[in-house]
Amino acid sequence: MTTIISSLSNTQISKLSTTTIAGLTSEDVDALSSAQIKSLTSSQIAALTTDGLARFDSADMSAISVKSLAGLSLDQIQILSSAQLDGFSTAQVAGLYSSQVAELSTAQIGSLDSTQIVAISKSAIAGLDVAKLSTDNVAVLSSTQVAALSATQFGGLSSDQVTALTSSQVAGLSSAQVGTLDSAEIALFSTDEIAAISIKALGGLSADAIAGLTTGSTEALTTTQVAGLSSTQLAALSSGQLATFSSDDMAAISKKALAGLDVTKLSTDNIAALSSTQIAALSATQFGSLSSDQLTVLSTTQIAGLSSAQVGTLDSTEIALFSTDEIAAISAKALGGLSADAIAGLGTGGAEALTTTQVAGLSSTQLAALSSSQLATFSSDDMAAISKKAIGGLDLTKLSTANVAALSSTQVAALSATQFGTMSSDQVTALTSTQIAGLSSAQVGTLDSAEIALFSTDEIAAISAKALAGLAADAVAGLGTGSAEALTTTQVAGLSSTQLAALSSGQLATFSSDDMAAISKKAIGGLDVTKLSTDNIAALSSTQIAALTSTQFGAMSSDQVTALTSTQIAGLSSAQIGTLDSTEIALFSTDEIAAISAKALAGLSADAIAGLGTGGAEALTTTQVAGLSSTQLAALSSSQLATFSSDDMAAISKKAIGGLDLTKLSTANVAALSSTQVAALSATQFSAMSSDQVTALTSTQIAGLSSAQVGTLDSTEIALFSTDEIAAISAKALAGLSSDAIAGLTTANAEALTSTQVAGLSSTQLAALSSGQLATFSTTDIAAISKKAIGGLDVTKLSTNNIAALSSTQVAALTSTQFSAMSSDQVTALTSTQIAGLSSAQVGTLDATELGLFSTDEISAIGLKAVAGFSTDALAGLDSTHMAALSSSQLQALNTAQVEAVIAAYKTY
């Protein structure tokens, strides 16, 4: 077979089955030429037995194609000799898989030369067991291969292997690889190697490993590397390591990493090397841990970048370390963080060094902490720069008068009332008119009489009206007459009722007419009018006078009342007028009386009415009279009422007229009353009228009388009425005329009664009428008598004409008693129509004689129901003519007794 193998072409060899390949003997393998070996596929290579593969020499190994070499199994890899491996070309080594490389033994790897080592691919290197590498192997690895090692592989390197690494290899390390180094391993790196680590890779160095860096190593760190250190790495650096950092290194520390810096480890050189941005990036805790020596080396540039939180960590001792230039370098915002306790550390020099901008940024708490000596160093500009927000913390007792004078009006206005109230007399005196013009009412409210007295007249005039309103009543006394006179009209307009009440008569006497007129309606209630001069009174507007309370108005003296003008009086209220007595109202001229409004005049008391006199009463306008109350009307005398014109009398209200005492009225007064007014008089008032007054009543007035009023008239008074006046009385009113008064009606008056009036007469009034009065009644009058009233009629007083004028209904309404009282003439006067309406009771009163007076037609007219009333005696007494007049229907309506009486009568004929 050996001869056969050697004679096969390369193509034939490549097509042999793996079974055939696996069955090749050692001799067969030895017979393979390099060309035939090169033609072997990866499957055929994998099919070779380990014994067969062991027959390959270095040249044979070299002949295997890179592609076919991939077929080497792990078992085959393990039996490869150093000589065979020596035959591997770099291309073949580069073609090995990571799994194949992983099976290489330490000896096999050791047999590889540097070119072969370098040829291991980046993908295959992952399978490399670094523990099998010699230091020479490690040293020849390319930087790319080293970089391709996983963190686990790199972490598996021994100290010797780490030492064998070159600067080039170190330069390619990743952060994960560097992160596997411990302090002992990093210490093996030379300064060049340290410097060779990339910024990114160095970032992986653990905090614990940082300690392994020697001072030489830290000194070897480049500025770029330092810039890449993390906050955790910076925190791990010792003071000795940090001391090796150059100024550039310190300046390179990133703002982000700076947070990890333990500033207590920094030298003063380190501190001085930090940029203002880095210093500004330190936390308040970091800055607060700086020592006095460290603080001392801070530059003005660094200080200029400090934050308020950083400055807030400084105590009085630490701030005292700052030079005046450094104090001035602190930003206004940062200075705002300085604690109140630390303010004392500024001293007078530090306070004086503060810029106007810094002063403007001071807080109320900081201002409160400044001493009087520190404040004394403040310039006018400094004082003027204090913010409105902060000024509330200023202790004014520490301010010099120069400080006070330097404050702006806005600042002074921003002082609280409590602050302003602590000002000394000298400080108050130092205030300017401009400052005073901005004071608030609360501030002015803190001034006492002694302090307000310190103000000049110009300063008094400078106080705003709103602010002056805050001046206490007790302090008003401090104004004096000069200051009171200095008050502007606007200020006076702003005075409160309490302040006005506190003004003395002397102060009020300085008020001009404009000042008086400026007093507000709201405040005038506090004015003590007893302190006012007559000029003051005259200067008040009608609106102001009207705003005085009744108590104030009532306190006015006679001179003050006399000083009132008609215009002022026109605005008085009823309550104010109500305070006037008869003496005071008498002081009013007729024009002033006429000027009082009707509404106000209604307040004048009944007692004061007498003070009007006849002149005052005559001066009253019709409108005023219309507004008088019943009480006021009742208080007027007859002489005062006599001055009233017809229009005045007619103007008296229906509501008030009830108070009018009619006994005081002249007949002209009575005649001037309207019918409505007369109708509004009570029965008591009306009954008090004299005969002359009754006589003075007109038909129109009488037409409006009520039944109650008419009911007060006696027979004498009713007799005074003319026939027209009698006819003018309404039927309803006439119903009130008493039966006694009926007698007072003359026959002419009775005749003057209208049918409507007669229809309204009551039964009692009808009963009181005499036969003479009734005889004057017309047929219409008689017919108008109501069915309800007819029961009171005394028929014996009726004439036969009266009887004949009665309607059948009226006759039917007469009682049997009334009917039985009729005389023979009256019975004879009855008509058939009247008789037809008679009742059985009425018929029952007729005797035979009276029936005999009836005509035969009248007998026949008696109703069927009425014949039942015939008495048997009356029937028995009828003559044959009257008996014959009874109709069959009437006879049939008779009862048995009546029929028997009729039969008995017939027997006598």
Side-chain angles (χ1 to χ4, degrees):
M1 185 157 176
T2 302
T3 304
I4 294 171
I5 288 298
S6 60
S7 63
L8 293 175
S9 67
N10 295 338
T11 301
Q12 290 175 311
I13 287 294
S14 67
K15 292 182 178 180
L16 292 175
S17 68
T18 54
T19 303
T20 302
I21 293 296
L24 295 176
T25 64
S26 299
E27 290 78 8
D28 291 332
V29 172
D30 289 339
L32 290 170
S33 66
S34 294
Q36 289 176 315
I37 291 172
K38 187 175 182 179
S39 67
L40 289 173
T41 66
S42 59
S43 299
Q44 291 174 318
I45 291 293
L48 287 171
T49 64
T50 54
D51 287 341
L53 184 60
R55 304 294 296 178
F56 280 26
D57 57 22
S58 61
D60 293 334
M61 293 304 294
S62 179
I64 301 172
S65 69
V66 173
K67 186 176 181 182
S68 297
L69 196 63
L72 284 174
S73 68
L74 302 183
D75 289 338
Q76 289 173 320
I77 289 289
Q78 290 174 356
I79 59 89
L80 293 176
S81 66
S82 298
Q84 287 177 308
L85 288 171
D86 187 52
F88 273 36
S89 67
T90 54
Q92 288 175 308
V93 172
L96 292 174
Y97 289 120
S98 60
S99 57
Q100 293 172 318
V101 171
E103 289 303 316
L104 292 173
S105 67
T106 303
Q108 287 174 315
I109 291 172
S111 68
L112 297 175
D113 61 25
S114 60
T115 59
Q116 291 175 312
I117 290 292
V118 173
I120 298 172
S121 70
K122 185 177 177 181
S123 60
I125 201 88
L128 188 62
D129 183 355
V130 294
K132 298 174 182 178
L133 296 175
S134 66
T135 54
D136 289 339
N137 291 150
V138 169
V140 299
L141 288 171
S142 69
S143 58
T144 302
Q145 290 175 308
V146 172
L149 292 173
S150 68
T152 303
Q153 287 176 301
F154 190 80
L157 292 174
S158 66
S159 297
D160 288 340
Q161 289 174 312
V162 170
T163 303
L165 292 170
T166 66
S167 295
S168 297
Q169 292 172 318
V170 169
L173 294 178
S174 68
S175 61
Q177 291 172 320
V178 171
T180 65
L181 298 171
D182 58 24
S183 57
E185 291 168 333
I186 195 66
L188 299 173
F189 282 48
S190 68
T191 54
D192 287 342
E193 290 170 346
I194 290 292
I197 302 172
S198 71
I199 300 171
K200 187 174 181 181
L202 190 63
L205 193 63
S206 69
D208 290 338
I210 287 289
L213 292 172
T214 63
T215 53
S217 294
T218 53
E219 188 172 9
L221 290 172
T222 66
T223 303
T224 304
Q225 288 175 312
V226 171
L229 292 175
S230 68
S231 58
T232 306
Q233 291 172 318
L234 274 176
L237 289 169
S238 67
S239 55
Q241 291 172 315
L242 287 165
T244 66
F245 277 26
S246 68
S247 298
D248 289 341
D249 291 337
M250 289 303 298
I253 296 172
S254 72
K255 186 177 177 181
K256 185 176 181 181
L258 204 62
L261 191 61
D262 182 352
V263 294
T264 61
K265 298 177 183 177
L266 297 180
S267 67
T268 54
D269 287 340
N270 288 152
I271 293 291
L274 290 171
S275 69
S276 58
T277 303
Q278 290 174 308
I279 291 289
L282 294 174
S283 68
T285 303
Q286 287 175 301
F287 191 81
S289 63
L290 289 173
S291 67
S292 296
D293 288 341
Q294 289 174 315
L295 288 171
T296 304
V297 299
L298 290 173
S299 68
T300 54
T301 303
Q302 291 173 314
I303 289 170
L306 295 178
S307 68
S308 60
Q310 291 171 319
V311 171
T313 65
L314 299 170
D315 58 26
S316 57
T317 304
E318 292 168 333
I319 196 66
L321 299 172
F322 284 41
S323 68
T324 54
D325 286 342
E326 290 171 343
I327 290 291
I330 301 171
S331 72
K333 186 175 181 180
L335 190 66
L338 192 64
S339 69
D341 292 339
I343 288 288
L346 286 173
T348 54
E352 188 171 13
L354 292 173
T355 66
T356 303
T357 304
Q358 288 175 314
V359 171
L362 292 175
S363 69
S364 58
T365 307
Q366 291 173 316
L367 277 176
L370 289 168
S371 67
S372 54
S373 57
Q374 288 174 314
L375 287 165
T377 68
F378 277 26
S379 68
S380 298
D381 288 340
D382 291 337
M383 289 302 298
I386 295 172
S387 73
K388 185 178 177 181
K389 185 176 181 181
I391 206 159
L394 195 59
D395 183 350
L396 268 68
T397 62
K398 298 177 182 177
L399 297 183
S400 66
T401 54
N403 287 150
V404 170
L407 292 170
S408 69
S409 57
T410 303
Q411 290 173 309
V412 171
L415 295 171
S416 69
T418 302
Q419 287 175 294
F420 192 81
T422 63
M423 291 179 75
S424 66
S425 297
D426 288 339
Q427 289 175 316
V428 171
T429 305
L431 291 171
T432 66
S433 294
T434 304
Q435 291 172 317
I436 289 170
L439 294 179
S440 68
S441 60
Q443 291 171 320
V444 171
T446 66
L447 298 169
D448 58 26
S449 57
E451 291 168 332
I452 196 67
L454 298 172
F455 283 41
S456 69
T457 54
D458 286 342
E459 290 171 342
I460 289 292
I463 302 171
S464 72
K466 186 175 181 180
L468 190 65
L471 191 64
D474 292 341
V476 166
L479 287 173
T481 54
S483 294
E485 188 171 12
L487 292 172
T488 66
T489 303
T490 304
Q491 288 174 314
V492 171
L495 293 175
S496 68
S497 58
T498 307
Q499 291 172 316
L500 278 175
L503 288 169
S504 68
S505 55
Q507 290 171 313
L508 287 165
T510 68
F511 278 25
S512 68
S513 297
D514 288 340
D515 292 336
M516 289 303 299
I519 295 172
S520 72
K521 185 177 177 182
K522 185 176 181 181
I524 206 159
L527 194 61
D528 183 350
V529 294
T530 62
K531 298 177 182 177
L532 297 181
S533 67
T534 54
D535 287 339
N536 289 151
I537 291 289
L540 291 171
S541 69
S542 57
T543 303
Q544 290 172 309
I545 291 287
L548 295 173
T549 65
S550 56
T551 302
Q552 288 175 297
F553 191 80
M556 290 177 72
S557 68
S558 296
D559 288 340
Q560 290 175 316
V561 170
T562 304
L564 292 170
T565 66
S566 294
T567 304
Q568 292 172 318
I569 289 170
L572 295 177
S573 68
S574 60
Q576 291 171 319
I577 291 290
T579 65
L580 297 171
D581 58 26
S582 58
T583 304
E584 291 167 333
I585 195 67
L587 299 173
F588 283 39
S589 68
T590 55
D591 287 341
E592 290 170 344
I593 290 292
I596 301 170
S597 72
K599 186 175 181 180
L601 190 66
L604 192 64
S605 69
D607 292 338
I609 288 288
L612 287 173
T614 55
E618 189 172 11
L620 293 173
T621 66
T622 304
T623 303
Q624 289 174 314
V625 171
L628 293 175
S629 68
S630 58
T631 306
Q632 291 173 316
L633 278 174
L636 288 168
S637 67
S638 56
S639 58
Q640 288 174 314
L641 286 165
T643 67
F644 278 24
S645 68
S646 299
D647 289 340
D648 291 337
M649 289 304 298
I652 296 171
S653 72
K654 184 177 177 181
K655 184 176 181 182
I657 205 157
L660 195 60
D661 183 351
L662 269 67
T663 63
K664 297 177 183 178
L665 296 184
S666 66
T667 54
N669 288 150
V670 170
L673 292 171
S674 70
S675 57
T676 303
Q677 290 173 310
V678 171
L681 295 172
S682 68
T684 302
Q685 287 175 295
F686 191 80
S687 67
M689 290 177 72
S690 68
S691 297
D692 289 340
Q693 289 174 317
V694 171
T695 304
L697 292 172
T698 67
S699 296
T700 304
Q701 292 172 318
I702 290 170
L705 295 178
S706 68
S707 61
Q709 291 171 319
V710 171
T712 66
L713 297 170
D714 58 24
S715 58
T716 303
E717 291 166 334
I718 197 66
L720 299 173
F721 283 45
S722 69
T723 55
D724 287 342
E725 290 170 347
I726 289 293
I729 302 171
S730 71
K732 186 175 181 180
L734 190 65
L737 192 65
S738 68
S739 55
D740 290 338
I742 288 288
L745 290 172
T746 65
T747 54
N749 284 344
E751 189 174 8
L753 291 173
T754 66
S755 299
T756 303
Q757 289 174 314
V758 171
L761 293 176
S762 68
S763 59
T764 306
Q765 290 174 315
L766 277 174
L769 287 169
S770 68
S771 56
Q773 291 170 316
L774 286 166
T776 66
F777 279 23
S778 68
T779 307
T780 306
D781 293 336
I782 290 295
I785 296 170
S786 71
K787 184 177 176 181
K788 183 177 180 182
I790 205 158
L793 192 62
D794 182 353
V795 295
T796 64
K797 299 177 182 178
L798 295 179
S799 67
T800 55
N801 288 334
N802 289 152
I803 291 292
L806 291 170
S807 68
S808 58
T809 303
Q810 289 173 309
V811 171
L814 295 173
T815 65
S816 56
T817 301
Q818 287 175 297
F819 191 80
S820 66
M822 289 177 71
S823 67
S824 297
D825 290 340
Q826 290 175 316
V827 170
T828 303
L830 289 171
T831 66
S832 296
T833 303
Q834 293 172 319
I835 291 170
L838 293 178
S839 67
S840 61
Q842 291 172 319
V843 169
T845 66
L846 297 171
D847 57 22
T849 303
E850 291 168 330
L851 278 175
L853 298 175
F854 281 29
S855 69
T856 55
D857 286 341
E858 290 171 344
I859 289 292
S860 298
I862 298 171
L864 298 179
K865 194 172 182 181
V867 296
F870 281 137
S871 68
T872 54
D873 289 340
L875 285 172
L878 283 177
D879 58 31
S880 59
T881 303
H882 285 89
M883 185 68 77
L886 289 171
S887 67
S888 59
S889 297
Q890 289 174 314
L891 289 172
Q892 289 174 0
L894 296 175
N895 59 36
T896 303
Q898 291 173 316
V899 169
E900 288 176 350
V902 170
I903 293 171
Y906 267 106
K907 290 180 179 180
T908 62
Y909 300 149

